Amino acid sequence: MIEENARGPGAELLDVHRLRLVETAAPRLTPGERLAMDRVWGQLVGANPHFFDGPVLVCAGAEREGPYGLTVSWVRTTYRHFALRRVPGATSWLPSFFVSVLQPVDDGRLLVGRMSNSTAAPGRWQLPGGSLEPPDGDEPLDMGSLHRHAARELSEETGIDTPPDGLTFWNVARAGNGGIGVLFRAPALPEARLRERYEAMAATERAEDREPELDRIALIRSTAQLPDLTGPHADYLEPIVRRYAEGDGGTGVPGVPGVSI
């Protein structure tokens, strides 16, 4: 995912417990935008050969449905689309549509990770997660596929293998640039087990001459510890950590004892 490291304005939690996903058509690029996008993409790949132009979903819009409902419109594209963010004057780019996982340890602290130099946001602290990919064939994009994608991201980035149905929908975040993140909560683990899984994953990646996506992890209890994480932070990290630290019965939504999708 190609995005700016700087914190954007207005990142927030949307307090959602009914989510509807709707596919829509991609915006038409002008010839000038397409040429500029391809030029910037070539420069990015030249600087970081780990970038690949694989399929990805982006967010075309998000609209409220009542106090706790949200409809997210999504578009199929490829990672090259994110290069439009770096094209001055481009109006056809769309923000990210992603999943993130809150992984607590059994004393209540929360895992955060730092993106490695092989990623599009080196040095940035965030939760485990990543951009959504299109469903296979005629399969719908639904909460089941979001659960599966979140579980896969958690495993790939931390080595923690939690089955998709072991994740609980927690909330929805809106990044400062309009990106939408669907948040899940994983069952708490002992710290020793969490670190063992991460270190085993990282050792396997490095043995195969690959840098793990998260080159460092930390456990934090509140927003007061965020300044200790040197480097940029995903702009939606602070409101997530604040809500998590406040305690909310595991749903992310104040006053809502359970989540139904």
Side-chain angles (χ1 to χ4, degrees):
M1 182 168 60
I2 301 170
E3 47 184 6
E4 299 297 330
N5 285 336
R7 178 185 174 88
E12 60 180 337
L13 291 179
L14 298 182
D15 292 344
V16 170
H17 65 97
R18 295 188 306 274
L19 185 63
R20 190 162 68 95
L21 307 172
V22 179
E23 184 173 9
T24 190
R28 294 177 64 95
L29 304 185
T30 67
E33 285 177 328
R34 186 167 297 278
L35 284 172
M37 176 184 70
D38 290 343
R39 182 180 65 253
V40 172
W41 177 254
Q43 294 169 349
L44 291 167
V45 172
N48 189 340
H50 293 280
F51 286 177
F52 66 101
D53 195 20
V56 71
L57 304 185
V58 291
C59 176
E63 296 185 2
R64 284 286 191 184
E65 289 187 352
Y68 290 118
L70 187 74
T71 295
V72 177
S73 301
W74 57 272
V75 167
R76 300 172 191 257
T77 185
T78 68
Y79 279 91
R80 183 185 301 258
H81 176 88
F82 291 123
L84 278 173
R85 297 180 183 181
R86 305 192 181 196
V87 175
T91 60
S92 299
W93 71 270
L94 295 174
S96 302
F97 188 23
F98 60 95
V99 291
S100 291
V101 180
L102 288 79
Q103 175 61 68
V105 293
D106 49 13
D107 68 358
R109 289 175 296 164
L110 189 66
L111 181 148
V112 293
R114 186 178 69 180
M115 300 291 282
S116 72
N117 289 333
S118 65
T119 69
R124 186 179 68 186
W125 289 90
Q126 60 182 51
L127 298 176
S131 295
L132 284 161
E133 297 174 359
D136 294 331
D138 295 330
E139 292 183 8
L141 182 72
D142 55 18
M143 287 304 296
S145 55
L146 267 60
H147 273 82
R148 290 190 293 274
H149 193 88
R152 184 168 67 249
E153 292 285 347
L154 181 64
S155 176
E156 291 176 353
E157 295 187 355
T158 69
I160 298 169
D161 292 319
T162 299
D165 60 5
L167 300 177
T168 302
F169 173 74
W170 192 76
N171 209 327
V172 174
R174 177 162 51 204
N177 65 5
I180 293 292
V182 182
L183 310 174
F184 295 89
R185 179 169 176 165
L189 293 174
E191 179 180 353
R193 184 178 178 189
L194 183 151
R195 292 190 181 277
E196 177 185 352
R197 293 288 181 89
Y198 171 77
E199 293 298 339
M201 177 279 301
T204 298
E205 290 291 291
R206 289 172 176 137
E208 297 179 2
D209 201 27
R210 294 193 301 264
E211 187 69 15
E213 288 188 61
L214 300 180
D215 66 6
R216 182 180 170 190
I217 61 171
L219 299 172
I220 61 174
R221 194 177 301 277
S222 72
T223 55
Q225 295 173 283
L226 289 176
D228 298 332
L229 305 177
T230 303
H233 300 169
D235 64 357
Y236 43 85
L237 182 60
E238 191 268 349
I240 291 172
V241 174
R242 180 190 301 115
R243 177 66 59 80
Y244 173 81
E246 289 172 351
D248 48 41
T251 66
V253 183
V256 180
V259 176
S260 177
I261 301 295

